[in-house]
């Protein structure tokens, strides 16, 4: 079925889904910017506030990946097949979870990033003037 503009319905739905995914994935940039511009009294060093929230949000996600998902993937790729082939026991649960994270983890990243961004922005916005005073003093 074609829409009035000639784009297939499935294609239009895919375009909308990709746009929403990107919008949520960029939340660490646009949400703290919105809060920094909206706050009264104004937050000092607003650009630094946006950078800190974005850096913490993306950094925590990357830290989570390298502490949990990366070692589980390495285990399931290199260690588990060797143990299985030799007849030794290995953790099938770790292999299954690592495979699911590898295949479907990208779907969970934007919601996790959104929740993390809202929480960090809320916590830092309350304390930001004192943090900036501490930087100067």
């Amino acid at each position: 079925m074609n829409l009035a503009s000639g784009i297939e319905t499935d294609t239009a739905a895919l375009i909308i889904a990709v746009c929403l995914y990107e919008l949520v994935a960029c939340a660490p940039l646009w949400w703290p910017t919105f809060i920094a511009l909206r706050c009264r009294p104004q937050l000092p060093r607003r650009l630094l506030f946006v950078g800190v929230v974005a850096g913490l949000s993306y950094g925590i996600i990357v830290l989570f990946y390298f502490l949990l998902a990366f070692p589980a993937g390495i285990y399931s790729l290199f260690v588990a097949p060797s143990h299985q082939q030799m007849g030794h026991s290995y953790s099938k649960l770790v292999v299954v979870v690592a495979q699911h994270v590898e295949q479907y983890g990208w779907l969970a990243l934007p919601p996790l990033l959104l929740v993390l961004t809202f929480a960090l922005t809320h916590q830092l916005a309350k304390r930001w003037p004192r943090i900036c005073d501490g930087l100067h003093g």
Side-chain angles (χ1 to χ4, degrees):
M1 177 176 188
N2 288 339
L3 295 174
S5 64
I7 297 176
E8 294 287 328
T9 306
D10 294 343
T11 305
L14 182 63
I15 290 170
I16 291 170
V18 168
C19 288
L20 286 174
Y21 184 89
E22 289 298 320
L23 182 67
V24 173
C26 291
L29 296 172
W30 59 260
W31 182 250
T33 302
F34 173 74
I35 295 300
L37 295 175
R38 178 186 70 92
C39 279
R40 297 283 183 234
Q42 287 187 343
L43 286 175
R45 303 182 78 178
R46 292 180 285 186
L47 186 61
L48 182 62
F49 176 76
V50 172
V52 166
V53 171
L56 283 173
S57 297
Y58 291 125
I60 289 172
I61 294 291
V62 169
L63 180 67
F64 172 77
Y65 174 76
F66 278 110
L67 288 180
L68 297 176
F70 186 68
I74 295 296
Y75 174 80
S76 67
L77 186 63
F78 295 111
V79 178
S82 302
H83 282 259
Q84 183 182 17
Q85 188 177 28
M86 291 186 293
H88 298 298
S89 64
Y90 68 98
S91 178
K92 289 181 183 180
L93 179 64
V94 173
V95 173
V96 169
V97 169
Q99 288 172 347
H100 277 84
V101 167
E102 180 184 337
Q103 291 175 355
Y104 304 110
W106 62 274
L107 290 171
L109 284 179
L112 288 174
L113 196 57
L114 191 64
V115 168
L116 190 60
T117 298
F118 287 157
L120 285 171
T121 302
H122 177 70
Q123 291 298 316
L124 279 177
K126 292 188 294 188
R127 296 172 176 87
W128 191 251
R130 290 184 304 217
I131 291 171
C132 287
D133 288 341
L135 291 175
H136 291 298

